Amino acid sequence: MIRRIFLWLLALAVLAAAAVAVWGPGFVERRLNPVTMPEAGWPVSPQAEALHQRLVIGDWHSDALLWDRDLLRRAGRGHVDIPRLVEGNVALQVFATVTKSPRGQNYSRNSAEAPDNITPLFIGQLRPLSSWFSVKERALVQAAALRRAAEEAPEELMLIRSAEDLQTLLEARQNGARTVGALLGTEGGHPLEGNIANLQVLYGAGFRLVGLTHFFDNELGGSLHGTGGEGLTDFGREVVEQMMARRMIVDLAHAGPQVVRDVLAIPGSRPILSHTGIHGHCATPRNLPDDLVQAIAEKGGVIGIGFWADVNCGKTPADIAASIKAAIALVGEDAVSLGSDYDGSVDAPFDVAHLAALTQALMDAGLTEQQIAKVMGGNMMRYLAQNL
């Protein structure tokens, strides 16, 4: 009898786990990645649509790999998949891997010791067992998913590992291909697990961009949202120098002010700020001080403007356009690009299929066609051609 009760309870537990796997992650994603577009959509004129289709568009940051969706299939939730990238005329998307996120995450102060949000998400999604309790394996599992998608549909998705790959992609698109390029990054350097040898592991898996920190301090240095305010550690400096030797992109999104200063002080460094707003325009602790944003641009980096309300102080395409205008006023039109943070547990006024709404908003804001072309992707492509 006891054995029968045990087996019955075990069966219930298995069914409950299966229900979480099937329904739970999708429910969580719908709640955390809402689209605030009105039911009728944002109006886009024929002139804006025509301009949008002529643009070479790139975006520095999407967390779509976190959600264990088949990127080759159109999803009914979230912001990004390959069909919607094609519809939005996006040439290049950076896919970042999220591997750890503290419970109670906020923009002001987070402990590295706080319970982790990603562990239950990976278990609920039934990701490989090796990734349940290893941040490095979580990064590698997400990288493998992107690689499999590119292998399954090479005419739809191409992994970009070098400037030569990027040139091949852009030439193909000029000749009519609709292939989307995917550049792999990681949100925070903690998947290195404090071991410099793991940088080569990530590089071999296709990673070409590393954000040094995320919402907590790690082995590389202090987070903008951490507890200590430390600068770049000796390990962090070694990572940056080896990344530069490999022509990997150093991303200072979420980095604390002293880490930013320390990276900029390294000779030859040319970091980016992948997804942010402009503090002087929207005074939130998520946005770096303006002088540091200017310093990144002065070293030859580019600034990716995010799409979510917290960094723009508003929820419309016009609010994103206003942040882009503020960024141009601060750092110049050659240093501003897109950094949506799509699928990053943030809201967005449109998914990527409806990105033309931003082109319309930039036209309405008075930007010239040349400025729009630079912001929507030209600056990103130039930077990568020079640094990847």
Side-chain angles (χ1 to χ4, degrees):
M1 182 67 177
I2 294 176
R3 181 174 180 272
R4 184 178 300 172
I5 293 173
F6 172 77
L7 291 174
W8 181 72
L9 291 174
L10 180 61
L12 284 178
V14 170
L15 288 172
V20 169
V22 173
W23 300 107
F27 173 81
V28 170
E29 184 182 4
R30 287 185 178 90
R31 182 173 61 84
L32 294 180
N33 293 315
V35 177
T36 58
M37 185 169 65
E39 186 174 348
W42 303 105
V44 177
S45 68
Q47 294 82 3
E49 183 62 41
L51 172 58
H52 188 81
Q53 294 304 320
R54 295 196 301 270
L55 298 172
V56 176
I57 300 172
D59 178 70
W60 281 112
H61 199 87
S62 166
D63 294 327
L65 292 172
L66 176 63
W67 302 101
D68 197 26
R69 290 191 265 109
D70 182 352
L71 288 179
L72 298 176
R73 311 289 179 259
R74 181 182 293 271
R77 62 182 190 266
H79 305 137
V80 165
D81 49 51
I82 302 308
R84 285 185 284 178
L85 285 164
V86 171
E87 189 172 337
N89 192 35
V90 175
L92 180 66
Q93 178 66 62
V94 174
F95 289 95
T97 62
V98 180
T99 56
K100 185 177 178 181
S101 171
R103 196 79 49 85
Q105 176 179 297
N106 62 84
Y107 292 140
S108 298
R109 186 178 177 86
N110 301 273
S111 170
E113 306 306 317
D116 173 37
N117 288 322
I118 307 303
T119 300
L121 181 63
F122 264 58
I123 294 172
Q125 292 177 341
L126 300 182
R127 295 285 186 109
L129 185 62
S130 63
S131 69
W132 288 11
F133 304 108
S134 166
V135 291
K136 182 183 78 172
E137 290 301 321
R138 289 176 194 171
L140 294 176
V141 161
Q142 292 175 71
L146 186 64
R147 184 171 61 251
R148 284 194 302 271
E151 291 169 352
E152 179 180 338
E155 293 185 358
E156 299 177 38
L157 181 64
M158 176 184 177
L159 291 184
I160 304 301
R161 298 184 177 93
S162 65
E164 291 75 19
D165 286 346
L166 179 61
Q167 184 63 29
T168 298
L169 171 75
L170 296 180
E171 288 176 356
R173 290 182 63 89
Q174 285 177 346
N175 291 323
R178 301 285 282 173
T179 309
V180 176
L183 192 140
L184 186 60
T186 181
E187 186 138 54
H190 35 281
L192 297 170
E193 296 183 340
N195 183 350
I196 193 62
N198 283 331
L199 183 62
Q200 182 57 42
V201 174
L202 295 185
Y203 185 88
F207 286 86
R208 293 297 182 269
L209 180 150
V210 174
L212 302 184
T213 63
H214 194 206
F215 271 89
F216 53 92
D217 305 331
N218 64 18
E219 299 94 340
L220 287 78
S223 166
L224 182 62
H225 329 287
T227 60
E230 294 90 350
L232 202 62
T233 65
D234 290 342
F235 177 68
R237 181 176 298 275
E238 184 180 11
V239 169
V240 171
E241 290 175 348
Q242 290 209 17
M243 285 180 63
M244 290 168 58
R246 289 176 169 84
R247 298 185 68 83
M248 299 175 76
I249 307 304
V250 176
D251 181 10
L252 294 177
H254 296 288
Q258 191 55 50
V259 167
V260 174
R261 297 184 190 99
D262 291 345
V263 170
L264 292 172
I266 296 175
S269 66
R270 198 179 181 186
I272 69 161
L273 189 60
S274 65
H275 53 302
T276 187
I278 301 301
H279 194 277
H281 173 72
C282 179
T284 166
R286 173 60 179 81
N287 294 335
L288 273 175
D290 286 2
D291 63 322
L292 293 181
V293 176
Q294 287 177 309
I296 292 169
E298 288 168 1
K299 284 290 297 261
V302 292
I303 313 302
I305 299 301
F307 291 0
W308 72 108
D310 288 345
V311 296
N312 295 310
C313 293
K315 292 188 174 184
T316 70
D319 293 314
I320 303 171
S323 288
I324 287 171
K325 284 195 71 173
I328 290 173
L330 182 67
V331 300
E333 65 185 49
D334 293 327
V336 183
S337 52
L338 305 183
S340 64
D341 201 15
Y342 272 147
D343 292 316
S345 299
V346 295
D347 60 275
F350 43 78
D351 68 1
V352 71
H354 298 89
L355 187 57
L358 180 56
T359 299
Q360 179 71 66
L362 294 173
M363 292 175 66
D364 293 343
L367 270 67
T368 67
E369 288 195 10
Q370 182 181 36
Q371 289 174 319
I372 293 171
K374 289 180 177 181
V375 169
M376 294 292 283
N379 291 334
M380 180 183 186
M381 303 308 159
R382 185 197 70 246
Y383 175 91
L384 288 172
Q386 295 170 350
N387 293 279
L388 189 59

